[in-house]
Structures are given as C-alpha cells and as structure tokens.
Amino acid sequence: VSTSLEMPFPPEVAFDAFSNLERQPSWSNWLKSVKYVDPAEGDDGVEVAFGSRETKWTVGFRGISFSWTSISTRLERPRLIEWESTSGMKNQGQVIFESNSEGTSTDMTLKMTFVTPRFAAAIFRRSGKIANFVENKMLKTTLVNFCDVVMAEDLQSR
C-alpha cells in the first residue's frame, strides 16, 4: 500500500524530521513508541553509523498491541529512506522525498508492504476494505499529521 502528499517545505526538512525515528509516534496515531534497541556507540566506543541502529516499534489499536524490530536498509538524504523488519511482524517500507522545481515543497510518498500468514493474506485479498483502511486511514493520516507536526515544531523555530 502507498499514499502521497505534498509537503509545503523542502525535502531536507522532511527527511530530517522523518528520519528522527523516536519522533514517529508524534505524527502516527497507531504508533505507541519507537525506541533504539542498541546503543549509539559500539563496543569500541565508535559511534554507530546513522541508520544502522535497530529500533523496536510498538503499535496499539483498539486495545491490541504488538511490536517488531527493524533496521534502515537505505538512506539517501534528502531523497529516500528504506527499512525492513528484523523480527516480529514482517514488513518493509520506503519513503520517497521528491522536490518541486524550486525546492520549496516536497512530494512525499510512503509505501509499506506487510508479509502476512497465508490464511490472513487470503482474507486481506478478498477484502479491499483492509487495504483501503491501511492506505487511506493509517498512511494518509500519518502524512497529514507529519506535515502538521513539522510545520508547528520544526519550521516555527526557524
């Protein structure tokens, strides 16, 4: 599933805010928390590379919560973020940040793929309502809220 929305700020602003993973629950109603699993420094005292740290994601919906861990697989500032889960709910995703010709706004596309057990996948395929809910409610709402948070918190301080 995927959805897109134009953001009224440059891709560098969008990328920097979205890649700050612990902020994700502030714009995603479904996320309860995002925490780094591993330390910022390795055993040798050297800082771990940006994006290579594992994170634990916890989602809650109608009294049900579940978690998974993931790692960023590709980061190209300010153009692209990709990730995949390493345990728990199998998923992978991508955020694409495309600048307009003046560089003042960004078309932001959020794509996610969930790997479900066969019996659940069959149910999901038969019901377009679930994909529609994820695409139009979860992902679109996340992007709308993201825009609002960045406008209020990141751009007000400039």
Side-chain angles (χ1 to χ4, degrees):
V1 293
S2 70
T3 193
S4 297
L5 189 67
E6 184 176 357
M7 302 291 162
F9 39 81
E12 293 81 6
V13 171
F15 182 95
D16 291 347
F18 205 86
S19 64
N20 185 342
L21 301 180
E22 291 180 313
R23 287 184 69 191
Q24 295 273 336
S26 69
W27 53 74
S28 176
N29 299 337
W30 321 103
L31 280 172
K32 298 304 173 201
S33 68
V34 179
K35 302 286 183 201
Y36 286 98
V37 174
D38 48 6
E41 292 182 354
D43 293 336
D44 56 3
V46 176
E47 186 174 327
V48 175
F50 173 72
S52 65
R53 295 177 60 200
E54 192 170 44
T55 49
K56 180 178 180 181
W57 299 68
T58 302
V59 171
F61 182 70
R62 294 188 179 184
I64 299 170
S65 68
F66 52 93
S67 298
W68 68 90
T69 56
S70 69
I71 191 163
S72 295
T73 56
R74 196 165 153 205
L75 295 165
E76 296 176 14
R77 184 182 187 274
R79 202 179 72 70
L80 178 71
I81 299 172
E82 291 181 344
W83 70 90
E84 67 182 8
S85 62
T86 55
S87 71
M89 183 180 74
K90 296 292 181 200
N91 69 86
Q92 60 188 32
Q94 178 182 69
V95 186
I96 301 167
F97 307 88
E98 293 180 304
S99 178
N100 71 353
S101 59
E102 296 85 36
T104 56
S105 67
T106 305
D107 287 325
M108 191 168 160
T109 302
L110 176 57
K111 299 178 181 183
M112 290 192 72
T113 302
F114 299 95
V115 179
T116 57
R118 283 190 180 151
F119 74 90
I123 294 169
F124 293 155
R125 276 193 299 273
R126 283 189 224 124
S127 174
K129 291 179 183 178
I130 294 171
N132 187 44
F133 174 80
V134 171
E135 187 173 299
N136 293 320
K137 295 292 184 193
M138 293 179 75
L139 298 185
K140 184 66 93 176
T141 300
T142 294
L143 288 183
V144 169
N145 292 346
F146 172 77
C147 183
D148 292 344
V149 168
V150 170
M151 293 295 291
E153 295 178 7
D154 297 51
L155 296 179
Q156 292 299 324
S157 63
R158 290 184 176 209

